[in-house]
Amino acid sequence: MRVRHPDCPQWGVGQVQSVVGDRVTVNFENLGKVMIRTEHVALVPLDSDKP
């Protein structure tokens, strides 16, 4: 799944790597791998039919 961080658009598009409970590991194009807790941040999913 491709996502964006709502507060950090400079990170670019991220690809979800894994989900364990409320912890999501995302590999962002401009930052690299980040672990995000969904209780604090609501990642924005991108349309799957758009690049």
Side-chain angles (χ1 to χ4, degrees):
M1 176 178 209
R2 293 164 27 105
V3 297
R4 286 197 184 271
H5 190 294
D7 300 326
C8 301
Q10 68 274 18
W11 291 4
V13 174
Q15 175 71 41
V16 173
Q17 303 293 302
S18 67
V19 179
V20 179
D22 74 334
R23 296 167 195 241
V24 179
T25 302
V26 182
N27 190 14
F28 287 98
E29 61 187 354
N30 298 328
L31 183 69
K33 199 174 282 189
V34 178
M35 191 278 295
I36 295 173
R37 296 191 57 195
T38 57
E39 71 179 61
H40 300 292
V41 176
L43 293 170
V44 179
L46 301 179
D47 294 337
S48 59
D49 62 340
K50 295 182 183 174

